[in-house]
Amino acid sequence: MKKKLLSLLIVLISLSGYSQQLYMEYGSTISSFDYENSRGQPLDNLLSKSKSYFGMGYRHTLNDAKTLFLTAGATYNSYGAIGSESSVDNYFAWDVSYLGIKAGIDAKLFQLRDLTFLLNGSVASEFLIRGNQTINNDVFNLVGEEEFNNNILFFRVGVSMQYPISSNTAIYAGYSYGKSVLINSGESEEKLKLNAHQFGIGFIINLPTCYCDY
């Protein structure tokens, strides 16, 4: 865990020298789990849960027209799901949190006066830092369990809009849909995928070396 946190810090510091803007965002995640056991049988009756997420990082203009932007930063995402199986009279719930490194591209779609609309795409490498599973009245720690403890890759696509509120700060709001690649829990052949809808708001701040307009 300490090595991963140190690697994350080194990456962010190295990127800061090439960045022109800082961004911070906070919002809500509506997540769901797609699970199959070792026999390939899905777990039905799984319902989504609403959790929160936080992100911060750097943004850099890729072209003179200022229509393409490279983003890189850190994320903290919480995911959850609840369900039941009436045939065995079971109730179950998951509550997990992942820390990640995220990189992406923002592409300008169009602009209405000062309001700019963008298409966003990103990929993040995330690893579990906290998690538990509840089955009826029993709670289990998921850190160290193979089907949850593997690093996951999360691909996201979405749209956002930004509006300047001062000469060096803009506020933005956005939506994204994300899906993890397959998590294989080793020899058990259990399969787990995470799906997430995210709605958030945030700020973009120009660094002193950036003479960027919004």
Side-chain angles (χ1 to χ4, degrees), residues 102-158:
K102 175 182 175 182
I105 296 289
D106 293 347
K108 181 179 178 180
L109 295 175
F110 59 91
Q111 186 169 348
L112 298 175
R113 295 189 178 180
D114 290 333
L115 185 62
T116 304
F117 293 83
L118 303 107
L119 177 67
N120 319 116
S122 67
V123 59
S125 176
E126 303 181 9
F127 56 93
L128 184 72
I129 59 173
R130 184 196 63 83
N132 59 68
Q133 179 183 28
T134 302
I135 301 178
N136 295 331
N137 294 322
D138 297 319
V139 180
F140 304 93
N141 183 12
L142 295 176
V143 177
E145 295 297 324
E146 291 181 339
E147 62 266 33
F148 281 88
N149 204 46
N150 292 339
N151 287 8
I152 62 174
L153 282 178
F154 227 109
F155 294 91
R156 292 181 173 87
V157 63

Side-chain angles (χ1 to χ4, degrees), residues 62-188:
L62 292 178
N63 60 352
D64 293 336
K66 298 179 181 178
T67 57
L68 290 175
F69 305 88
L70 175 68
T71 61
T75 61
Y76 177 84
N77 291 292
S78 295
Y79 310 108
I82 58 174
S84 62
E85 183 56 65
S86 58
S87 61
V88 292
D89 195 25
N90 270 351
Y91 162 82
F92 28 82
W94 289 272
D95 182 9
V96 295
S97 297
Y98 285 83
L99 187 65
I101 302 174
K102 175 182 175 182
I105 296 289
D106 293 347
K108 181 179 178 180
L109 295 175
F110 59 91
Q111 186 169 348
L112 298 175
R113 295 189 178 180
D114 290 333
L115 185 62
T116 304
F117 293 83
L118 303 107
L119 177 67
N120 319 116
S122 67
V123 59
S125 176
E126 303 181 9
F127 56 93
L128 184 72
I129 59 173
R130 184 196 63 83
N132 59 68
Q133 179 183 28
T134 302
I135 301 178
N136 295 331
N137 294 322
D138 297 319
V139 180
F140 304 93
N141 183 12
L142 295 176
V143 177
E145 295 297 324
E146 291 181 339
E147 62 266 33
F148 281 88
N149 204 46
N150 292 339
N151 287 8
I152 62 174
L153 282 178
F154 227 109
F155 294 91
R156 292 181 173 87
V157 63
V159 291
S160 63
M161 54 184 180
Q162 66 181 46
Y163 184 84
I165 56 176
S166 71
S167 60
N168 63 353
T169 304
I171 188 171
Y172 72 94
Y175 160 80
S176 69
Y177 171 75
K179 196 175 186 71
S180 71
V181 299
L182 182 66
I183 306 170
N184 193 329
S185 59
E187 297 179 357
S188 70

